[in-house]
Amino acid sequence: MLVTLDMAAGMIREGKALQIAADDSLLAQLPTGNWIGGTTPYFIAEEGGTFTKDKLFVNEFDFAEDVKVAVYGKYNVFQIVEDCFDNGLTMLILPYSSKVAEKYAKEAPDVEELLLHPTVGWVAGCDLNAVTETKVYDGTTGKSYTDKAVAMFLKLPEGKTAVINIVNIFEDDKNDPVITFPENTLEVTKCRVDGKEVDFAAYIREKNVDMLPLVADYNGVFINVSIKSNENGRVGLYAPVFKGIEYRFAKRVDNYAEEFEKRISAAGAGNPVFSCNCILNFLYGNLEGKKTHPYAGPVTFGEIAYQLLNQTLTYCEIV
């Protein structure tokens, strides 16, 4: 829920376990306590999508029997699979465009133990019109970081399980050529289209793909890779492509906002304890002022559902 600075500080002083998203000017004023946080001024609140630097979005994890917080760099971020509770949920926040985020993005799908431990979270961002550093906060110390990840480990009650899901309006266009890449990377120059090597930057310009992401089918779950930039012969991506995975560009969506609303309604979540939504959905879906009940949370520069995602809504339920 969106709250004032005084309200958030009060919840911290009460000892509650919290995940907090807000502009850095607010996060920096919070007292130390049992919380983690990340920067963003964009939110999907109960009253609708909003941009604000005057309020904070707070998730309270009152279901947790125990809580611990840790900070990780790029060399040990996957230590989270050792540090988490056996029956728990890991809440992870990464700073956008950091080495630790790049490491996690490229290698998470190959960390088999990660799939045994429910891990959800997001990539901290900033105001798109006044680009500043993105930060994560370890609330137990009050320290902020631009180059480290922060994790909150939540122990679940016996008999309870964390279930993580996504809402994705895109699926691959089966009539489109198959695209493969020679390595796991966030920046592409060459690729293979139906087996033939091509210049990826030129290929994208020729296709005029606009806001369409690349899509791969992971055992029936469609995962997006959105285009970040196309400059000087290099294509930047918001999430990595992976060697050996077949991609196609997504089917075109006639009405982005309408399709997104339809998929949200069909997802049918009951009472998510956490959700986040991609900044690309916020912009292309015209979500400012629009409600996505029961999904409320930060608007992010990447979503984490075990691995790094983008252009999705990610949520977690305790069942």
Side-chain angles (χ1 to χ4, degrees), residues 48-94:
T50 186
F51 171 92
T52 178
K53 295 184 179 182
D54 297 324
K55 289 188 176 181
L56 309 89
F57 195 96
V58 176
N59 289 97
E60 179 185 353
F61 302 125
D62 56 0
F63 56 84
E65 292 189 335
D66 196 4
V67 178
K68 53 186 179 180
V69 171
V71 175
Y72 301 92
K74 69 175 182 177
Y75 295 112
N76 69 340
V77 64
F78 294 110
Q79 183 67 30
I80 59 174
V81 300
E82 302 293 334
D83 296 342
C84 64
F85 293 105
D86 289 339
N87 180 37
L89 170 65
T90 299
M91 170 65 60
L92 183 67
I93 310 177
L94 305 167

Side-chain angles (χ1 to χ4, degrees), residues 16-275:
K16 294 180 177 181
L18 308 172
Q19 185 275 154
I20 304 176
D23 187 72
D24 186 49
S25 62
L26 298 181
L27 292 174
Q29 297 183 61
L30 292 173
T32 57
N34 210 13
W35 65 276
I36 62 171
T39 55
T40 181
Y42 303 94
F43 310 94
I44 305 294
E46 288 79 358
E47 56 268 35
T50 186
F51 171 92
T52 178
K53 295 184 179 182
D54 297 324
K55 289 188 176 181
L56 309 89
F57 195 96
V58 176
N59 289 97
E60 179 185 353
F61 302 125
D62 56 0
F63 56 84
E65 292 189 335
D66 196 4
V67 178
K68 53 186 179 180
V69 171
V71 175
Y72 301 92
K74 69 175 182 177
Y75 295 112
N76 69 340
V77 64
F78 294 110
Q79 183 67 30
I80 59 174
V81 300
E82 302 293 334
D83 296 342
C84 64
F85 293 105
D86 289 339
N87 180 37
L89 170 65
T90 299
M91 170 65 60
L92 183 67
I93 310 177
L94 305 167
Y96 177 68
S97 197
S98 62
K99 293 297 184 182
V100 67
E102 180 179 346
K103 173 88 169 181
Y104 191 90
K106 288 181 178 180
E107 298 185 16
D110 295 326
V111 181
E112 293 183 5
E113 282 208 17
L114 195 60
L115 294 175
L116 302 177
H117 305 288
T119 303
V120 71
W122 55 288
V123 178
C126 63
D127 181 351
L128 293 171
N129 296 311
V131 178
T132 56
E133 287 185 316
T134 63
K135 296 181 182 180
V136 301
Y137 274 78
D138 172 2
T140 64
T141 64
K143 291 183 178 179
S144 65
Y145 303 92
T146 60
D147 60 348
K148 294 185 183 297
V150 62
M152 175 174 276
F153 303 106
L154 305 162
K155 183 179 180 181
L156 302 182
E158 186 176 353
K160 295 293 184 179
T161 302
V163 177
I164 297 167
N165 282 303
I166 66 172
V167 176
N168 184 3
I169 71 168
F170 294 105
E171 56 187 60
D172 62 346
D173 186 345
K174 299 299 186 186
N175 296 317
D176 213 47
V178 170
I179 304 171
T180 58
F181 300 90
E183 60 181 338
N184 300 358
T185 183
L186 286 160
E187 188 176 80
V188 176
T189 54
K190 301 291 184 181
C191 68
R192 289 190 174 274
V193 178
D194 279 347
K196 180 181 178 181
E197 184 174 274
V198 301
D199 181 300
F200 192 45
Y203 181 71
I204 287 176
R205 287 194 296 270
E206 291 168 7
K207 287 185 70 66
N208 189 27
V209 295
D210 298 323
M211 62 186 179
L212 294 176
L214 291 165
V215 178
D217 184 342
Y218 284 69
N219 300 314
V221 177
F222 292 108
I223 301 297
N224 303 329
V225 176
S226 303
I227 307 300
K228 177 181 177 182
S229 61
N230 187 350
E231 299 174 349
N232 302 317
R234 295 180 177 274
V235 178
L237 306 170
Y238 282 109
V241 288
F242 295 99
K243 181 180 179 180
I245 300 295
E246 294 187 346
Y247 297 86
R248 289 184 171 94
F249 275 102
K251 285 183 180 178
R252 292 192 178 273
V253 176
D254 292 331
N255 187 316
Y256 196 109
E258 183 179 289
E259 185 65 25
F260 193 68
E261 185 175 346
K262 185 192 305 181
R263 297 292 180 100
I264 285 176
S265 298
N271 184 30
V273 297
F274 170 81
S275 73

